[in-house]
Amino acid sequence: MTEIIVVTSGKGGVGKTTTSASLSCGLARRGKKVAVIDFDIGLRNLDLIMGCERRVVYDFVNVIQGDCTLKQALIKDKRIETLFVLAASQTRDKDALSSEGVRRVLDELTAEGFDYVICDSPAGIEKGAHLAMYFADRAVVVVNPEVSSVRDSDRILGLLASKTQRAEQGNGGVKEHLLLTRYSPKRVATGEMMSVTDVKDILGLDVIGVVPESTDVLSASNAGVPVILNQESDASRAYDDAVARLLGESLPLRFVDEPKKGFFTRMFGG
Amino acid sequence: MGLLALFRRNPPTANVAKERLRIIVAQERSARGGPDYLPLLRRELLEVIKKYVNVDPEAVQVNLEREDGHEVLELSVALPGGKRI
């Protein structure tokens, strides 16, 4: 049984690709066979975050247009045996992505025995974003604790509830989860940033993960190694918890409270 | 955080964000799935009302309520004198 998960947000720059890369690595590391697809036609980036940008020969649109087979276009990850990347097309027009084509690719991945297909949605609510969510069984809505991101997420939730195959067929709809990124417990403590509970109350969804603001995220994308693979990082642990929750484990949220500081740290920085 | 930073905190604005979002999200959710003509209807009604009474653009509320089997278009206009029609 293949589960299709869309990683979406509406707003750009909130961490969709970072999240797609880390969740797919995390699932594959736990033995699942995973394909992660970049739906951002014209603005390919997942390959960079995954560190396979120099191995892209064929892309998603090539497969859809029959220029190559799906097998030829899937890039096998060098770190994790069961992980495959399908890159977005860089040059062709956005109309190259058709609903029928996307369905065919997803059906073929299902037939190939993939456990999970992660669809990395582009920002916005245009065709690419629509097709990324259309066939999904579940959605991970990435949100920053910030007004425009929260509002856009709500718009996306509206689309998930109406413009998806599951919504149209009326069989329970897409299961939705929230994933907060760039979370700063310190700023939440001083009342400068909305808390997990605030965002959860406004959007009315369960939270599958809270990833703290971390310098490791930039280092990870610089290096082309998904941040979940940096075992030293809190962001990595937070993503791994999210993966466990996706797989049905129930874990308490970590990294949501400010670590207690001693007197000297507070006075002299740290 | 150094010593100086203790005296130079950003104001706590998270509650403001939360309240603003609560209102706008509720408003946008109620409009969701409704017919596309509602905003235009609201604007044209406002124009007509303005011919007679000088009302605030915020004063005209058009809502579509769904009750079992039928829909109710609810129109509420707050008049400047505090009266409502």
Side-chain angles (χ1 to χ4, degrees):
Chain A
M1 182 60 201
T2 308
E3 194 161 50
I4 299 167
I5 303 178
V6 59
V7 176
T8 182
S9 71
K11 190 175 183 297
V14 296
K16 282 182 297 296
T17 302
T18 299
T19 298
S20 300
S22 280
L23 293 184
S24 52
C25 275
L27 286 165
R29 201 165 58 177
R30 286 163 188 255
K32 306 291 180 192
K33 190 172 177 190
V34 182
V36 56
I37 307 179
D38 190 348
F39 274 76
D40 204 346
I41 304 305
L43 294 168
R44 175 198 292 169
N45 271 321
L46 178 69
D47 57 335
L48 270 179
I49 304 301
M50 295 294 294
C52 63
E53 70 277 9
R54 297 183 59 186
R55 294 198 290 135
V56 180
V57 181
Y58 294 113
D59 57 53
F60 195 12
V61 171
N62 288 141
V63 182
I64 287 176
Q65 296 185 336
D67 305 334
C68 66
T69 64
L70 176 61
K71 271 211 174 88
Q72 286 175 303
L74 283 175
I75 306 163
K76 194 171 187 302
D77 189 84
K78 290 209 159 154
R79 299 156 294 222
I80 307 166
E81 190 77 349
T82 55
L83 178 58
F84 297 83
V85 180
L86 186 53
S89 169
Q90 191 61 297
T91 53
R92 306 189 198 201
D93 69 321
K94 283 182 197 265
D95 291 332
L97 219 53
S98 67
S99 175
E100 211 26 66
V102 173
R103 183 197 300 275
R104 235 173 32 234
V105 171
L106 293 174
D107 284 349
E108 204 176 329
L109 289 168
T110 306
E112 287 292 321
F114 277 85
D115 297 306
Y116 289 93
V117 178
I118 309 289
C119 302
D120 181 21
S121 172
I125 51 173
E126 299 296 313
K127 195 171 183 185
H130 169 67
L131 287 176
M133 71 167 68
Y134 188 76
F135 299 100
D137 300 306
R138 292 166 98 173
V140 173
V141 179
V142 183
V143 57
N144 290 170
E146 176 273 328
V147 287
S148 47
S149 174
V150 174
R151 183 200 209 171
D152 289 359
S153 299
D154 192 61
R155 184 99 171 77
I156 288 293
L157 292 175
L159 296 176
L160 285 166
S162 60
K163 308 272 190 236
T164 50
Q165 182 173 259
R166 277 180 163 266
E168 287 170 4
Q169 291 173 346
N171 52 357
V174 178
K175 174 108 184 74
E176 302 150 338
H177 311 275
L178 280 184
L179 189 136
L180 273 79
T181 55
R182 312 202 69 164
Y183 194 75
S184 167
K186 190 169 133 188
R187 303 186 76 192
V188 171
T190 56
E192 291 168 57
M193 183 182 268
M194 284 183 282
S195 68
V196 181
T197 319
D198 291 343
V199 178
K200 198 170 138 183
D201 287 354
I202 294 163
L203 296 175
L205 274 192
D206 76 305
V207 174
I208 201 154
V210 178
V211 181
E213 171 86 76
S214 162
T215 53
D216 300 327
V217 173
L218 181 60
S219 319
S221 69
N222 285 345
V225 180
V227 70
I228 197 171
L229 299 178
N230 173 2
Q231 310 276 14
E232 303 295 301
S233 170
D234 283 352
S236 159
R237 296 185 191 109
Y239 271 123
D240 201 53
D241 285 2
V243 170
R245 292 187 197 105
L246 269 179
L247 292 170
E249 287 178 42
S250 76
L251 297 171
L253 288 175
R254 292 197 274 175
F255 318 111
V256 290
D257 296 314
E258 190 185 8
K260 296 270 178 290
K261 281 183 179 174
F263 174 78
F264 281 100
T265 333
R266 266 188 290 154
M267 285 294 132
F268 303 108
Chain B
M1 204 198 312
L3 193 55
L4 274 177
L6 283 179
F7 304 102
R8 205 184 46 213
R9 282 231 170 110
N10 287 332
T13 47
N15 280 330
V16 182
K18 188 179 170 184
E19 275 320 302
R20 290 174 62 215
L21 278 169
R22 214 190 270 288
I23 293 164
I24 194 71
V25 164
Q27 196 183 326
E28 286 175 350
R29 280 187 182 180
S30 71
R32 196 175 288 164
D36 293 339
Y37 60 73
L38 278 188
L40 186 64
L41 176 68
R42 183 178 172 279
R43 202 156 60 233
E44 288 188 7
L45 280 171
L46 187 67
E47 298 290 306
V48 174
I49 293 165
K50 268 193 167 167
K51 281 191 194 168
Y52 302 92
V53 197
N54 190 20
V55 291
D56 187 64
E58 300 279 308
V60 179
Q61 293 292 335
V62 180
N63 287 316
L64 195 71
E65 298 280 330
R66 269 185 208 86
E67 286 165 28
D68 28 39
H70 62 285
E71 292 177 333
V72 179
L73 187 67
E74 190 186 76
L75 174 67
S76 150
V77 185
L79 293 177
K83 288 177 288 177
R84 280 174 94 84
I85 57 169

